[in-house]
Amino acid sequence: MRIVVLISGRGSNLQAILAAQLDAEIVAVISNKTDASGLKIAQTAGIATAVLAHTDFASRAEFDVAMMRLIDSYQPDLVVLAGYMRILTDDFVHHYHGRLLNIHPSLLPSYAGLNTHQRALDDGVKAHGCTVHFVTPTLDHGPIIIQAVVPVLPSDDVASLSARVLQMEHQIYPTAIRWWLAKRIVLNTNNRVNLLNNTGSEQTVFYTGS
Ligand code: GRF
């Protein structure tokens, strides 16, 4: 199986995916930003990199068409968004239906969008976390594959809380991709995700870190 990873920045999730040594080839890492430090992680790992700057395009639609062309030139089975900070056109999302994953730093459907950790702190929630989901046209609302929960501590600030969540991101993203590659993820007609166990029956997904 061939995977293309899209990034915009640091690339720590990319690094975790690489470290997980999945049964797949990461054929390219593509960034919409030239200065994304995640590109260096890919280069160090000997993976092809490409940059397509959204600032070079007149519209979101034109950029996404060019991005699809670039992605498809690597013939991926799966496209993984790992800190790719772009809102996607419907055409882009439909083109990769069922094979486009994203990680979001909150327990969706709470805190879709930006500044998730600050918003969680402002609300005084006691549990926070992260979500891997299929991407659909509505931002951060696709079928949920896996979530991990962390406590919010009285002493937390954005830095400490985001670091705690990020540690979990690095666990659940490789796990979700592994499940997808093993064809264990079942997307039901009601848009719920179940997991096939080794006897071929479906179970609900509740991740306990094991
Ligand atoms: C992560 O928190 C991810 O959930 C969000 O953007 C951040 C990317 O971090 N979508 P990194 O580039 O993987 O380090």
Side-chain angles (χ1 to χ4, degrees):
M1 292 270 201
R2 298 166 66 83
I3 300 177
V4 166
V5 181
L6 302 194
I7 62 168
S8 299
R10 179 177 57 179
S12 73
N13 278 289
L14 166 67
Q15 193 149 39
I17 291 163
L18 290 173
Q21 301 194 313
L22 301 167
D23 193 14
E25 191 186 349
I26 310 224
V27 288
V29 172
I30 303 175
S31 172
N32 64 312
K33 294 198 163 182
T34 36
D35 61 352
S37 50
L39 289 169
K40 291 196 196 75
I41 295 171
Q43 282 151 7
T44 305
I47 297 167
T49 58
V51 174
L52 191 69
H54 59 276
T55 45
D56 290 345
F57 291 82
S59 69
R60 188 180 299 283
E62 285 167 74
F63 172 70
D64 268 9
V65 166
M67 184 55 101
M68 280 189 267
R69 237 175 248 146
L70 178 59
I71 294 169
D72 290 348
S73 71
Y74 295 99
Q75 298 180 293
D77 299 289
L78 179 67
V79 177
V80 168
L81 308 182
Y84 181 63
M85 302 302 282
R86 293 286 304 165
I87 290 177
L88 305 168
T89 56
D90 289 7
D91 284 352
F92 185 102
V93 171
H94 290 136
H95 184 66
Y96 298 107
H97 177 76
R99 55 195 188 103
L100 181 61
L101 305 184
N102 183 44
I103 188 152
H104 183 76
S106 79
L107 292 173
L108 292 173
S110 292
Y111 309 121
L114 297 174
N115 302 321
T116 57
H117 308 304
Q118 185 62 60
R119 288 155 64 204
L121 288 169
D122 291 347
D123 284 345
V125 296
K126 304 304 177 209
H128 186 46
C130 46
T131 304
V132 178
H133 63 97
F134 283 109
V135 178
T136 55
T138 312
L139 180 71
D140 297 331
H141 272 86
I144 291 171
I145 298 170
I146 183 171
Q147 296 185 298
V149 182
V150 302
V152 181
L153 305 178
S155 57
D156 270 334
D157 56 16
V158 167
S160 62
L161 184 57
S162 63
R164 193 174 307 120
V165 171
L166 195 64
Q167 265 194 323
M168 297 310 292
E169 293 186 34
H170 296 163
Q171 289 189 38
I172 66 170
Y173 216 176
T175 301
I177 296 169
R178 198 176 280 122
W179 289 346
W180 191 94
L181 293 168
K183 302 192 191 316
R184 291 187 62 196
I185 295 177
V186 182
L187 185 53
N188 288 331
T189 42
N190 61 358
N191 262 349
R192 299 272 157 74
V193 168
N194 280 341
L195 197 63
L196 286 179
N197 64 22
N198 50 17
T199 64
S201 56
E202 290 182 28
Q203 60 195 53
T204 54
V205 185
F206 187 75
Y207 177 70
T208 54
S210 55

